[in-house]
Amino acid sequence: MSLSAIAIFCGSSFGNDPAYAEAARLTGRTLAERDITVVYGGGHVGLMGTVADAALEAGGRVIGVIPRQLDDRELAHHALTELHVVESMHERKALMAELSDAFIALPGGAGTLEEIAEQWTWAQLTIHEKPSGFLDVAGFWAPMRDLLDRMVGSGFVRQEQSGIVSFSDNLDELLTMLAAPPSWTDKWGKANEEVPQP
C-alpha cells in the first residue's frame, strides 16, 4: 500500500523524557525524507510542533488542521505548507482522516489516545481501511499493547481485527507494517469487500 500522507497524533507538551522529542524529530525528518506528507493537528507547541519543524527543515510537506478556538489562542503553526482552520474537533479529525493514508501515535495524553482510538474504531467499522500504529517510545505504549491483548482475550476485539493497529519501537519497522495491505475483517467477522461501504 502506498503511503503518501500519514497523520501524526502526539502531545502538545514535551513530556518529561527527552526520548519523546527525539522520536518526534526523527518521525518528522524520516517522513520528509521518504516524501510522505505529514498531517497533524496544526500546533506549534510540544511534540506536535517538533514533528512539524523537523519535517519542514528536511524539506517535507506538512499539513496542519486546527480548530478555530485553538487558532484564536495563537497555538497554530503558521509556517506550514497548508493550514486548515476548522470549526470543531470533530471536523479536525474527519479532515485529518480524509487527508491521510495511515495514522501514527507518538507519546501524548488523552487527546492523542482519543484521536488514534477513533481511527482504529473507524477501521473496525469499515468507514475506512486505513491502519494505525503506535510508536512505542521508551515503552510508552506498552500498556496499550497489553490492553489490546486483553480486549482480544476477553472477546471484545476479534483476533482478525487486531491487525488494524501495529506497535513497534522502531519507526522504519512501523512504517513497513503500515504499508502492508489491509488484512483484517470488520467488527462482525466479514472481509472488508463483503461489507457495503458507507
Side-chain angles (χ1 to χ4, degrees), residues 106-170:
L106 275 65
T112 300
L113 182 58
E114 186 265 344
E115 288 168 327
I116 195 77
E118 182 163 72
Q119 299 310 326
W120 172 7
T121 302
W122 288 4
Q124 267 193 163
L125 300 174
T126 64
I127 293 172
H128 63 54
E129 296 181 4
K130 301 175 182 182
S132 295
F134 291 84
L135 186 59
D136 192 19
V137 183
F140 184 86
W141 290 116
M144 189 69 220
R145 188 197 296 251
D146 292 342
L147 182 58
L148 173 57
D149 290 342
R150 181 174 290 270
M151 290 174 179
V152 172
S154 299
F156 291 106
V157 173
R158 291 178 181 272
Q159 181 64 51
E160 297 86 350
Q161 287 186 295
S162 62
I164 293 172
V165 291
S166 300
F167 295 83
S168 180
D169 60 2
N170 182 283

Side-chain angles (χ1 to χ4, degrees), residues 1-155:
M1 187 174 77
S2 175
L3 297 176
S4 60
I6 295 178
I8 305 298
F9 303 127
C10 59
S12 57
S13 301
F14 290 104
N16 56 17
D17 188 333
Y20 303 151
E22 181 53 40
R25 282 189 289 271
L26 175 65
T27 300
R29 183 173 67 248
T30 299
L31 295 187
E33 290 171 351
R34 295 190 181 199
D35 199 27
I36 298 173
T37 298
V38 171
V39 179
Y40 85 116
H44 67 81
V45 294
L47 298 185
M48 294 173 65
T50 301
V51 170
D53 288 340
L56 292 168
E57 288 167 9
R61 188 165 184 262
V62 182
I63 300 175
V65 184
I66 193 167
R68 189 172 305 281
Q69 181 184 19
L70 297 183
D71 183 38
D72 290 344
R73 294 172 64 186
E74 300 182 349
L75 296 177
H77 195 312
H78 290 286
L80 305 176
T81 311
E82 295 178 24
L83 178 64
H84 298 268
V85 179
V86 296
E87 296 304 320
S88 69
M89 293 291 285
H90 298 294
E91 288 182 55
R92 177 198 226 178
K93 291 180 291 182
L95 182 55
M96 290 178 71
E98 179 183 331
L99 294 171
S100 305
D101 302 312
F103 312 93
I104 292 178
L106 275 65
T112 300
L113 182 58
E114 186 265 344
E115 288 168 327
I116 195 77
E118 182 163 72
Q119 299 310 326
W120 172 7
T121 302
W122 288 4
Q124 267 193 163
L125 300 174
T126 64
I127 293 172
H128 63 54
E129 296 181 4
K130 301 175 182 182
S132 295
F134 291 84
L135 186 59
D136 192 19
V137 183
F140 184 86
W141 290 116
M144 189 69 220
R145 188 197 296 251
D146 292 342
L147 182 58
L148 173 57
D149 290 342
R150 181 174 290 270
M151 290 174 179
V152 172
S154 299

